[in-house]
Amino acid sequence: MNVSTQFLASPNVVLLEKDADLRPLASVDSKALTKEKTLELSAQIAEFQNVLYAQQKHKLLIILQGMDTSGKDGTVRIVFGASNPAGIRSVSFKAPTAQELAHDFLWRIHQQVPAAGELVIFNRSHYEDVLITQVLDWISADEVKRRYTHINAFESMLAETGTTILKFFLHISKDEQKERLQERLNDPHKHWKFDPKDLIERASWDKYRDAYQATICATHTEHAPWHIIPANSKTQRNLIIASIVVEKLASLNLGYPAPHPDYLKIKVE
Amino acid sequence: MNVSTQFLASPNVVLLEKDADLRPLASVDSKALTKEKTLELSAQIAEFQNVLYAQQKHKLLIILQGMDTSGKDGTVRIVFGASNPAGIRSVSFKAPTAQELAHDFLWRIHQQVPAAGELVIFNRSHYEDVLITQVLDWISADEVKRRYTHINAFESMLAETGTTILKFFLHISKDEQKERLQERLNDPHKHWKFDPKDLIERASWDKYRDAYQATICATHTEHAPWHIIPANSKTQRNLIIASIVVEKLASLNLGYPAPHPDYLKIKVE
């Protein structure tokens, strides 16, 4: 069984705290070995990406979602850190600006989707517009459902027009978040990563988990599947995501564009 | 003397073919050693960039210009390839679209300048609008001068509002370009990199060199200096550029944001 299938969500997924702690790829329980494998996969992603870029045909969209401290930034840095900046773009969606709020919620997202030959990572995404909005009751249950429908239609359009979409939920437990937040607070060098709002959101942990669960169930489609990544272990998380991305890139049968036989006759003066 | 000073343009620079062939940092003439040093510098750039990103204060803009095959793509891949995609962006400016042409020539450029905390690389730039346009007589000599003035004012505004600008001219000789183009033509796997228009532009080599020379002289300012990089040797080119970028980043005295003493008292529940 390939790694992707192993972590694929199901239409009725249940997010259990204990699952965040799984270390399923730790057949040999060595952190060093896991890191080494991830480094190899990261280099493979960079190689595939060079062909993707040359071919200017496929578009790859990676969506990272997860609670605060779940490791979205770390995933970008480690899994995609070896890639050529020319063909990769990481987009971080913050609280929307006034201008963005004056448009539909997919407006700013659509502007950032990958062009042909690009690999784009969304660090947070349009999914925030059905998560925090749902938890804080900013939108009605009916509006949530309408947005699910819009999201599925939007992603289906992207897929039909040549975009490969991989969605990852980085699954950490409430205890793990506690440790990671405390670590940030105890280390003055990490204070820039801390936002007092994180504690307010943490207080709504169960509501967020339920919202994630409902959202994943409603938007897990064949053309834009969710993967649930046990993320209490950072090294396991990176290895799993890197494996799934490599599997997907390999399945695209990427190749350099066809040569021009007439070019072989040209002599440069 | 630091590396940056060594390659700084002068207000009356003359681009000599033979200078493209210099290997000034090859004190020990070993390709392997040069590559190893570049790799170290590339890792240092990635480290600096993490602080730049955390600090959200400085903005770094790198502008790469040069004749076809001069190594702009290779520089992006090798010198900046180790950096975290979250804080780095490579922007490649192609022939302008109809919408872009309907605006002033700096319109599309301004949209892509770095935000606070970002390192952005321009692979070609607004300088194309005073190069090809000048060589092919699309604009008058007066218009060229007006554009120089606009460019200097624009870059001065960026610098005054917190952007550090480094401009690199990758200097190759006409013979070196001949070899590189022929290599692309002889290798079917590299045909995707070849554009028949490259040969037409090559026929205007002297005009392009003169246009570059005039442009560098007119836009070499204290706040946005040009560096002339001997680029016939790819390994030397990478080492020189990486050295200059590291020197500049080191001179910014980057640091993580100040800690919040009150955060140390917070206990996460």
Side-chain angles (χ1 to χ4, degrees):
Chain A
M1 192 166 68
N2 61 18
V3 178
S4 177
T5 317
Q6 201 178 336
F7 297 97
L8 212 52
S10 70
N12 45 10
V13 70
V14 179
L15 298 173
L16 298 173
E17 289 282 296
K18 67 178 174 58
D19 290 348
D21 217 29
L22 293 174
R23 305 171 57 81
L25 298 193
S27 54
V28 182
D29 194 16
S30 146
K31 229 181 202 178
L33 194 67
T34 307
K35 279 187 180 177
E36 197 186 304
K37 273 192 202 165
T38 304
L39 218 61
E40 278 167 31
L41 290 166
S42 168
Q44 277 184 49
I45 291 173
E47 273 173 48
F48 275 123
Q49 185 229 339
N50 277 329
V51 190
L52 189 90
Y53 178 69
Q55 200 177 14
Q56 300 271 312
K57 181 181 163 192
H58 294 278
K59 308 156 186 173
L60 183 55
L61 176 60
I62 311 273
I63 297 179
L64 302 180
Q65 286 285 160
M67 306 279 202
D68 290 326
T69 77
S70 61
K72 299 179 288 295
D73 294 339
T75 301
V76 173
R77 187 164 43 86
I78 305 292
V79 177
F80 300 98
S83 294
N84 182 351
I88 201 167
R89 206 151 45 81
S90 166
V91 187
S92 188
F93 291 98
K94 312 280 182 196
T97 64
Q99 199 203 12
E100 286 168 350
L101 280 173
H103 292 84
D104 67 84
F105 75 103
L106 292 169
W107 181 74
R108 64 173 184 161
I109 307 293
H110 207 157
Q111 294 178 31
Q112 299 287 357
V113 298
E118 260 195 329
L119 190 167
V120 171
I121 308 148
F122 281 0
N123 185 339
R124 302 187 184 272
S125 65
H126 43 296
Y127 283 101
E128 294 299 320
D129 297 288
V130 286
L131 289 163
I132 186 168
T133 50
Q134 184 171 177
V135 167
L136 300 183
D137 278 328
W138 292 347
I139 59 177
S140 69
D142 275 356
E143 175 62 10
V144 173
K145 275 188 194 151
R146 279 193 295 271
R147 289 193 180 187
Y148 288 155
T149 308
H150 297 321
I151 288 175
N152 287 337
F154 173 65
E155 293 180 351
S156 156
M157 181 276 293
L158 292 180
E160 265 187 47
T161 51
T163 307
T164 301
I165 305 172
L166 290 176
K167 301 186 290 200
F168 296 99
F169 173 67
L170 310 193
H171 188 197
I172 56 166
S173 65
K174 199 176 174 186
D175 281 350
E176 180 68 23
Q177 188 190 55
K178 182 180 176 177
E179 264 181 50
R180 294 188 183 181
L181 284 174
Q182 196 65 61
E183 203 185 301
R184 285 185 186 178
L185 288 162
N186 295 350
D187 180 354
H189 284 101
K190 290 187 174 168
H191 281 186
W192 66 277
K193 289 188 184 180
F194 181 78
D195 182 339
K197 274 189 226 139
D198 295 351
L199 294 180
I200 299 171
E201 301 213 333
R202 176 171 168 77
S204 303
W205 179 275
D206 291 356
K207 282 189 177 179
Y208 270 104
R209 185 204 49 220
D210 292 350
Y212 261 113
Q213 207 168 275
T215 298
I216 291 169
C217 291
T219 58
H220 177 59
T221 58
E222 207 171 320
H223 55 263
W226 277 104
H227 298 82
I228 315 287
I229 310 298
N232 277 4
S233 156
K234 295 174 187 177
T235 48
Q236 282 280 305
R237 172 202 78 207
N238 291 335
L239 179 59
I240 297 168
I241 295 178
S243 302
I244 295 173
V245 173
V246 164
E247 279 177 7
K248 179 51 79 177
L249 283 164
S251 78
L252 295 178
N253 292 314
L254 300 172
Y256 282 99
H260 300 252
D262 47 317
Y263 280 8
L264 292 168
K265 296 171 215 149
I266 300 177
K267 184 116 183 65
V268 181
E269 299 302 334
Chain B
M1 194 167 66
N2 62 19
V3 179
S4 177
T5 317
Q6 202 177 337
F7 297 96
L8 212 54
S10 70
N12 45 8
V13 72
V14 179
L15 298 174
L16 299 172
E17 290 282 296
K18 66 177 175 59
D19 289 348
D21 217 29
L22 294 174
R23 304 169 60 77
L25 297 192
S27 53
V28 181
D29 193 17
S30 145
K31 229 183 203 178
L33 195 66
T34 307
K35 278 187 181 178
E36 198 186 301
K37 273 192 200 164
T38 305
L39 217 62
E40 277 168 31
L41 290 166
S42 168
Q44 276 185 49
I45 292 173
E47 272 173 49
F48 276 123
Q49 184 228 341
N50 277 329
V51 189
L52 189 91
Y53 179 69
Q55 200 177 14
Q56 301 271 312
K57 181 182 163 193
H58 294 279
K59 309 157 186 173
L60 183 56
L61 175 59
I62 311 274
I63 298 180
L64 302 180
Q65 286 286 160
M67 306 278 201
D68 291 324
T69 76
S70 62
K72 300 179 288 295
D73 294 340
T75 301
V76 173
R77 187 164 44 86
I78 305 294
V79 177
F80 300 99
S83 294
N84 182 350
I88 200 166
R89 206 152 45 81
S90 167
V91 187
S92 189
F93 291 99
K94 312 281 184 196
T97 64
Q99 199 203 11
E100 286 167 352
L101 280 173
H103 291 84
D104 67 84
F105 76 103
L106 292 169
W107 181 74
R108 65 173 183 161
I109 307 295
H110 207 159
Q111 294 176 31
Q112 299 288 354
V113 298
E118 261 193 328
L119 190 167
V120 171
I121 308 148
F122 282 180
N123 185 338
R124 301 186 185 272
S125 66
H126 43 296
Y127 284 100
E128 295 299 320
D129 297 289
V130 286
L131 289 164
I132 186 167
T133 50
Q134 183 171 177
V135 168
L136 300 184
D137 279 329
W138 292 347
I139 59 176
S140 68
D142 275 356
E143 175 62 12
V144 173
K145 275 187 196 154
R146 279 193 293 271
R147 289 193 181 187
Y148 287 155
T149 308
H150 297 321
I151 287 175
N152 286 338
F154 174 65
E155 292 180 352
S156 156
M157 181 275 293
L158 292 180
E160 264 188 47
T161 52
T163 307
T164 301
I165 305 173
L166 291 176
K167 302 187 288 200
F168 296 99
F169 172 66
L170 310 193
H171 188 199
I172 56 167
S173 65
K174 198 175 175 188
D175 281 349
E176 180 67 24
Q177 188 190 55
K178 182 180 176 177
E179 265 181 49
R180 292 188 187 182
L181 284 174
Q182 196 65 61
E183 202 187 301
R184 283 186 187 177
L185 288 162
N186 295 350
D187 180 353
H189 283 101
K190 290 187 174 168
H191 281 185
W192 66 277
K193 288 188 182 180
F194 181 78
D195 183 338
K197 273 190 228 139
D198 295 350
L199 295 181
I200 299 171
E201 302 213 333
R202 175 171 170 77
S204 303
W205 179 274
D206 291 356
K207 282 190 175 178
Y208 269 104
R209 185 204 50 218
D210 293 350
Y212 261 114
Q213 209 168 277
T215 298
I216 291 169
C217 292
T219 59
H220 177 60
T221 57
E222 207 171 320
H223 54 264
W226 277 104
H227 299 82
I228 314 285
I229 309 299
N232 276 3
S233 157
K234 295 175 187 177
T235 48
Q236 282 280 306
R237 172 201 77 206
N238 291 336
L239 179 59
I240 297 169
I241 296 178
S243 302
I244 296 173
V245 173
V246 164
E247 279 177 7
K248 180 52 80 175
L249 283 163
S251 79
L252 295 177
N253 292 314
L254 300 172
Y256 283 99
H260 299 250
D262 47 317
Y263 280 8
L264 291 167
K265 297 171 214 148
I266 300 177
K267 183 118 181 65
V268 182
E269 298 303 330

